[in-house]
């Protein structure tokens, strides 16, 4: 029995379990209720997570706002899929700012903060069926009510172009807000183009429709925002031509291009190209703060008022920050890099244009050479544009000399800049231009004509490239040849004066300088071209002489004075060893000029033969011979030891142990008491067979003006021309690349961009980067596949970004000369925005990022900005219909946004006894947001009611 009872009880339990399994929960029986339950579960999860956890779970930040994020979830109802999005803020702001530019469209329309949007996952993304929209909104409202959430919810409806929404918000146990927004996309009724009509439209939502609104007073709150934009630039202001290889103005930048004026005509780069103004225009937001209005007539007065009466002016620039295929120095420098890579394929520049070259057919098909007319115009600009020397320090940055190129205004730098725009900077065009360039230089040499854009005095600037050094030395050689020719012509054209024409003191009556009369004053006049500044100092001599004015004027009245020639004056109180005569410092020839390669040859010779004293003297034999001859002419009674005391005081040792004066000159009182000076030569000077003494014995007594020049201009000039004519293509292009980068940067450095510190810092960084990247080109051991080529390409990208920044800086500066605060503020924000892009080239375009900046103007800046809105011409405004009022210099706003609102006290009503204390205060009962122009109008209405 016991076992039987156990079996029966187990059967009953199984029957009860089967009955429980068949139980149906009718509260979730319908799909509608399950859909509401699913929405409720999602909302509860979002409420529980909070904003921080939602961010960790992948909430997305909106592009239009840095503080607004959205989380989304997908759900299904029957055969349809929906997407529900929750928009929330991270930083909870206190008061709601009406005209905050970062607000979401629904926040602006309805004055809400956090909200939900549920929409079907379809092509249109809106609910086209009105009953379906109402049912969907009801489901969300029920779910939010079950969650005790006060989030407003919206559903997009109608056609997507109408931006229409319906929405609902549970505000507690009593009040409910309903939302509705729609747009008129066709012609707007004339009445609704004016503030009076819009005011009456809002009043009609809560006043009796039979009333004449213009005759009654309805106090409502009103605020307005107007947006203006400057007129776009005309099409003919665009960049001049993109085909730089076939148009003359591009191949020859200095040529005329009509009477058309460009925005950058006075910018330093305008000589080479016209840059597109990246500052496309400006927008202006004018805001009337919230105020109470009481009738249609007051609205009419506001419509007729000037924008200057508004409380706030906010400026926003339209800057095209990412423009591909832009013509400028950077684009042409990149082409020069391509030519540099090809330069390793030939031995001579003529090979790139020679018909016999096997690869010339391929070059001819892909690379075009400009016409001879353009070549002549380029050469004319290089060689025949004025004879006055330019300012070689013009535009030079303090770091320019760290780049081994040529100064901006020099002949070779101008050649490189012209090459950038000549025939699209291909290797064949460069070869043709170089050949003609060298041919023109030879003409100047053979005709002894001054070489343009090159200095003819001073020393060779070894910090520049070798070609510039050669051209500078050639210019000096030409000048020397001209001087020799002039002296030769003077000698031929002059006649010897008769004895009657000579005064008793030995001076010629006609003042001719051709006679070499042994008179000291005459000798100094003849040597006037060799000034004291031109005297050389030997390497170990501290100072050859100490000369005072009275010393130069005083001359010893001794017989030897009448044969002294080429003296610049006494050397302090120093006396000659063999005669009681003052030592005189001679005029000497300047040391022969040497370029960098000549210095290197001498250095290699020293390294090969050892740094011996005798070998150094052999290298400087001509200079020593010239100095010794001049010293003998100025001091006829001098001996070798006198020359050493003057030329190399360190090699004269005093026997008495007393040290020489500050300049190696004994004290005056010692000279008077102890003459002749007691001392001896140093060991190296007293050795047997000393080369210096041999040269001294061979040196004739000839003053510097009558000596053979140390520099042979004819020989050195021919050597320079041979160098230019046989220069290897890769050597030429290496120097062209360095010079082109330096000259381009120096040109941009002349741009006036005011006190924009970021731009100045970027220019400093550019020079440092160029100096580092271009340094390997000085080693002269590159190849066509060298990694340096890629480094140069990356340098072009950096240069391009700096060039763009500079264009923006220059444009902003000239537009706000009278208000520098505006240009500095805009450029500072733009610099921070653009900086992350500077690691990418133009091909890596990021179209999703746009520069968006708002700047509130001060009162004294308003007039300047107002003047930027030039009155439109008939051609510019032929399609416009002035119908909205609030004109700014003839411009009507492109967008007008208005918010009307009214409030009421909740008391004395049906729900007043149960109204929470929080609602005993004034609440916003009606709110209308209006946005539009004369062609469209959007209206968003929210109404609060007691349910």
């Amino acid at each position: 029995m016991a076992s039987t009872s156990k079996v029966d009880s187990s059967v009953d339990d199984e029957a009860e379990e089967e009955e429980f399994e068949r139980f149906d929960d009718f509260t979730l029986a319908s799909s509608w209720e399950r859909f509401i339950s699913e929405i409720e579960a999602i909302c509860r999860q979002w409420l529980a997570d909070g904003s921080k956890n939602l961010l960790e779970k992948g909430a997305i930040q909106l592009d239009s706002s840095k503080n607004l994020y959205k989380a989304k979830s997908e759900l299904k109802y029957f055969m349809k899929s929906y997407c529900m999005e929750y928009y929330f803020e991270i930083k909870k702001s206190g008061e709601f700012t009406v005209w905050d530019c970062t607000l979401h469209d629904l926040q602006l329309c309805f004055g809400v903060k956090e909200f939900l949007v549920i929409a079907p996952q379809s092509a249109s993304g809106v609910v086209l069926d009105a009953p379906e929209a109402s049912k969907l909104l009801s489901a969300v409202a029920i779910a939010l009510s079950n969650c005790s959430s006060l989030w407003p919810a919206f559903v997009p409806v109608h056609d997507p172009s109408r931006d229409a929404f319906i929405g609902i918000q549970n505000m507690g146990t009593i009040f409910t807000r309903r939302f509705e927004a729609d747009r008129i996309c066709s012609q707007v009724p004339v009445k609704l183009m004016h503030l009076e009509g819009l005011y009456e439209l809002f009043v009609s939502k809560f006043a009796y429709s039979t009333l004449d609104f213009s005759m009654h007073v309805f106090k409502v709150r009103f605020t307005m925002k107007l947006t203006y934009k400057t007129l776009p630039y005309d099409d003919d202001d665009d960049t001049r031509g993109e085909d730089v290889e076939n148009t003359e103005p591009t191949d020859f930048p200095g040529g005329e291009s009509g009477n058309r004026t460009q925005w950058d005509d006075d910018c330093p780069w305008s000589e080479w190209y016209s840059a597109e103004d990246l500052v496309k225009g400006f927008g202006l937001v004018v805001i009337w703060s919230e105020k109470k209005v009481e009738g249609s007539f007051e609205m009419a007065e506001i419509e007729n008022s000037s924008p200057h009466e508004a409380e706030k002016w906010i400026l926003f620039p339209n800057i095209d920050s990412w423009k591909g295929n832009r013509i400028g120095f950077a684009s042409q420098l990149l082409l020069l890099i391509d030519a540099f890579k090809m330069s390793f394929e030939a031995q001579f520049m003529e090979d790139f244009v020679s018909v016999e070259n096997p690869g010339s057919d391929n070059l001819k098909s892909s690379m075009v050479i400009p016409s001879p007319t353009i070549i002549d115009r380029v050469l004319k600009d290089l060689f025949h544009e004025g004879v006055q020397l330019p300012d070689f320090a013009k535009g030079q940055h303090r770091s320019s000399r760290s780049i081994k190129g040529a100064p901006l205004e020099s002949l070779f730098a101008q050649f490189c800049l012209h090459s950038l725009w000549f025939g699209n900077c291909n290797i064949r065009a460069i070869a043709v231009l170089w050949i003609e360039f060298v041919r023109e230089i030879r003409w100047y040499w053979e005709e002894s004509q001054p070489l343009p854009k090159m200095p003819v005095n001073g020393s060779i600037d070894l910090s520049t490239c070798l070609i510039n050094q050669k051209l500078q030395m050639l210019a000096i050689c030409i000048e020397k040849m001209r001087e020799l020719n002039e002296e030769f012509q003077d000698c031929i054209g002059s006649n010897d004066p008769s004895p009657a024409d000579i005064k008793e003191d030995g001076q010629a009556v006609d003042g001719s300088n051709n006679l070499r009369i042994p008179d000291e004053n005459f000798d100094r006049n003849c040597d006037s071209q060799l000034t004291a500044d031109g005297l050389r100092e030997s390497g170990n001599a501290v100072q050859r002489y100490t000369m005072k004015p009275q010393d130069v004027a005083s001359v010893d009245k001794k017989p030897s004075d009448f044969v002294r020639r080429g003296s610049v004056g006494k050397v302090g109180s120093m006396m000659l060893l063999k005669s009681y005569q003052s030592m005189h410092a001679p005029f000497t020839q300047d040391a022969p000029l040497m370029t960098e390669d000549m210095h290197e040859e001498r250095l290699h010779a020293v390294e090969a033969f050892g740094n011996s004293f005798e070998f150094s003297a052999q290298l400087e034999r001509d200079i020593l011979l010239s100095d010794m001859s001049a010293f003998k002419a100025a001091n006829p009674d001098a001996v070798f030891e006198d020359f050493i005391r003057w030329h190399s005081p360190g090699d004269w040792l005093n026997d008495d142990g007393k040290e020489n004066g500050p300049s190696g000159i004994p004290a005056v009182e010692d000279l008077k008491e102890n003459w002749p000076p007691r001392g001896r030569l140093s060991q190296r000077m007293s050795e047997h067979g000393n080369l210096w003494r041999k040269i001294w014995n061979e040196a004739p007594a000839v003053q510097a003006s009558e000596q053979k020049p140390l520099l042979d201009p004819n020989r050195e000039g021919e050597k320079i021309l041979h160098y230019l004519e046989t220069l290897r293509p890769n050597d030429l292009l290496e120097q062209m690349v360095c010079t082109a980068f330096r000259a381009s940067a120096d040109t941009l450095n002349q741009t006036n961009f005011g006190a924009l510190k970021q731009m100045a810092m970027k220019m400093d960084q550019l020079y440092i980067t160029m100096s580092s990247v271009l340094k390997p080109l000085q080693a002269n051991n590159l190849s066509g596949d060298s990694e340096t080529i890629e480094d140069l390409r990356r340098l072009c990208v950096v240069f391009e970004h700096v060039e763009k920044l500079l264009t923006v800086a220059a444009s902003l500066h000239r537009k706000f000369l009278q208000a520098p605060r505006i240009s500095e503020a805009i450029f500072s924000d733009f610099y921070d925005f653009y900086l992350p892009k500077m690691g990418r080239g133009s091909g890596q375009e990021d179209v999703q990022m746009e520069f968006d900046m708002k700047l509130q103007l001060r009162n004294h800046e308003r007039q300047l900005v107002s003047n930027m809105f030039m009155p439109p011409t008939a051609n510019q405004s032929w399609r416009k219909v002035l119908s909205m009022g609030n004109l700014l210099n003839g411009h009507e706003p492109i967008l007008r946004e208005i918010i009307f609102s009214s409030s009421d006290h909740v008391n004395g009503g049906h729900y007043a006894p149960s109204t929470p204390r929080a609602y005993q205060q004034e609440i916003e009962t009606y709110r209308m947001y209006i946005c539009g122009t004369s062609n469209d109008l959007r209206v968003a209405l929210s109404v609060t009611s007691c349910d």
Side-chain angles (χ1 to χ4, degrees), residues 726-740:
T726 60
L727 187 61
R728 293 176 62 90
N730 62 299
D731 292 339
L732 170 63
L733 268 295
E734 283 178 3
Q735 298 182 60
M736 285 185 63
V737 168
C738 291
T739 300

Side-chain angles (χ1 to χ4, degrees), residues 378-402:
V378 172
L379 293 176
K380 181 179 179 181
D381 183 67
L382 283 172
F383 289 96
H384 302 286
E385 200 172 82
V387 295
Q388 186 176 1
L389 280 180
D391 181 11
F392 293 103
K394 180 182 179 183
Q396 186 168 286
H397 190 271
R398 60 177 177 271
S399 301
S400 290
R401 295 177 66 86
S402 64

Side-chain angles (χ1 to χ4, degrees), residues 706-874:
E706 297 176 356
Q707 296 176 8
K708 178 184 176 181
L710 292 175
L711 174 67
D712 186 350
N714 187 50
R715 181 185 63 183
E716 295 298 332
E718 288 296 337
K719 288 171 62 177
I720 292 170
L721 286 169
H722 176 74
Y723 167 82
L724 297 176
E725 292 169 344
T726 60
L727 187 61
R728 293 176 62 90
N730 62 299
D731 292 339
L732 170 63
L733 268 295
E734 283 178 3
Q735 298 182 60
M736 285 185 63
V737 168
C738 291
T739 300
F741 269 102
R742 172 176 170 176
S744 300
D746 284 346
T747 300
L748 296 179
N749 190 53
Q750 300 177 38
T751 306
N752 185 9
F753 50 80
L756 302 179
K757 297 180 181 179
Q758 296 95 333
M759 191 67 250
M761 179 186 67
K762 211 63 191 174
M763 288 299 298
D764 293 341
Q765 294 175 355
L766 175 63
Y767 277 95
I768 295 174
T769 305
M770 288 194 303
S771 177
S772 175
V773 175
L774 297 174
K775 192 172 184 179
L777 270 66
Q778 304 174 21
N780 199 20
N781 57 0
L782 299 179
S783 60
D785 56 351
S786 172
E787 293 182 359
T788 305
I789 302 294
E790 295 304 317
D791 292 339
L792 292 173
R793 296 184 190 278
R794 287 188 284 269
L795 178 61
C796 290
V797 175
V798 175
F799 200 102
E800 177 189 14
H801 290 303
V802 175
E803 194 172 8
K804 287 181 180 178
L805 277 176
L806 192 66
T807 304
V808 175
S811 179
L812 291 173
H813 174 66
R814 66 179 49 233
K815 288 177 173 62
F816 298 103
L817 281 174
Q818 306 301 322
R821 185 193 74 91
I822 300 178
S823 59
E824 292 172 9
I826 295 176
F827 185 79
S828 178
D829 279 17
F830 179 76
Y831 179 84
D832 295 337
F833 162 80
Y834 191 76
L835 196 60
K837 294 185 175 184
M838 297 190 69
R840 302 192 295 268
S842 298
Q844 304 173 354
E845 193 165 339
D846 186 2
V847 296
Q848 297 180 353
M849 294 293 293
E850 292 183 358
F851 178 61
D852 184 19
M853 182 254 189
K854 304 292 189 295
L855 177 66
Q856 185 168 344
L857 300 178
R858 297 172 182 173
N859 291 335
H860 69 276
E861 298 168 341
R862 291 188 179 188
Q863 188 58 48
L864 174 65
V865 174
S866 176
N867 294 337
M868 297 175 62
F869 291 81
M870 301 293 292
T873 62

Side-chain angles (χ1 to χ4, degrees), residues 35-51:
F35 181 59
I36 294 175
S37 177
E38 188 174 355
I39 295 175
E40 181 181 343
I42 296 172
C43 292
R44 288 184 182 276
Q45 184 64 46
W46 284 342
L47 284 169
D49 287 339
S51 58

Side-chain angles (χ1 to χ4, degrees), residues 277-546:
D277 191 357
L278 298 180
V279 183
K280 298 301 182 182
F282 293 89
L284 178 65
V285 172
V286 178
I287 296 177
W288 272 263
S289 300
E290 186 176 278
K291 60 184 296 186
K292 286 188 176 182
V293 294
E294 298 183 353
S296 301
F297 295 108
E298 191 172 351
M299 297 303 300
E301 292 178 0
I302 296 176
E303 183 174 326
N304 294 326
S305 62
S306 169
H308 287 273
E309 299 178 14
E311 282 74 11
K312 290 183 180 180
W313 278 34
I314 300 175
L315 184 72
F316 60 94
N318 177 18
I319 301 179
D320 188 355
S321 59
W322 202 256
K323 188 75 173 178
N325 300 323
R326 182 175 180 269
I327 300 299
F329 281 128
S331 64
Q332 304 309 113
L333 288 170
L334 189 60
L335 297 175
L336 182 62
I337 303 304
D338 296 336
F340 173 46
K341 186 176 182 180
M342 294 190 65
S343 66
F344 293 90
E345 300 177 2
Q347 296 292 323
F348 302 99
M349 294 301 293
E350 289 80 3
D351 295 339
F352 290 107
V353 295
S354 175
V355 179
E356 300 176 357
N357 187 15
S360 61
D361 293 337
N362 185 26
L363 290 174
K364 288 181 179 179
S365 61
S366 60
M367 300 180 183
V368 180
I369 299 176
S371 64
T373 304
I374 297 175
I375 297 177
D376 292 340
R377 295 178 66 182
V378 172
L379 293 176
K380 181 179 179 181
D381 183 67
L382 283 172
F383 289 96
H384 302 286
E385 200 172 82
V387 295
Q388 186 176 1
L389 280 180
D391 181 11
F392 293 103
K394 180 182 179 183
Q396 186 168 286
H397 190 271
R398 60 177 177 271
S399 301
S400 290
R401 295 177 66 86
S402 64
I403 303 170
K404 202 170 183 62
L408 174 59
E409 297 297 328
S410 65
L411 183 60
F412 184 62
Q414 292 298 304
F415 168 82
C416 293
L417 290 178
H418 275 284
S419 299
L420 292 178
W421 309 95
F422 185 78
N424 210 14
C425 199
N426 64 77
I427 188 63
R428 291 189 71 228
I430 293 175
V432 169
L433 187 59
W434 174 254
I435 293 171
E436 295 298 326
F437 177 75
V438 175
R439 187 175 300 165
E440 195 75 11
I441 289 176
R442 175 165 284 281
W443 180 89
Y444 275 86
W445 164 251
E446 293 176 351
E447 298 296 328
S448 296
Q449 296 297 316
L451 197 61
K453 299 181 176 68
M454 294 305 300
V456 295
N457 49 21
S459 59
I460 303 297
D461 188 357
L462 299 180
S463 67
T464 62
C465 63
L466 185 57
I467 293 179
N468 184 74
Q469 297 177 36
K470 295 290 186 181
L471 292 177
Q472 185 180 355
M473 190 166 184
L474 182 63
I476 295 174
C477 290
I478 292 175
E479 185 65 21
K480 296 290 186 183
M481 292 290 291
R482 286 170 59 84
E483 292 175 359
L484 293 175
N485 292 337
E486 290 176 0
E487 292 179 2
F488 179 74
Q489 294 297 330
D490 291 342
C491 291
I492 295 177
S494 62
N495 296 320
D496 292 338
S498 61
D501 295 332
I502 302 179
K503 294 183 180 180
E504 294 180 357
D505 59 357
Q507 295 273 345
V509 175
D510 60 355
S512 175
N513 292 333
N514 295 317
L515 293 177
R516 302 296 183 184
I517 301 176
D519 178 82
E520 185 175 13
N521 293 331
F522 179 78
D523 290 340
R524 292 181 179 176
N525 290 335
C526 291
D527 293 337
S528 62
Q529 58 184 352
L530 299 173
T531 61
D533 293 336
L535 292 176
R536 288 188 308 102
E537 295 182 2
S538 58
N540 55 356
V542 178
Q543 183 176 346
R544 288 188 181 182
Y545 62 92
T546 302

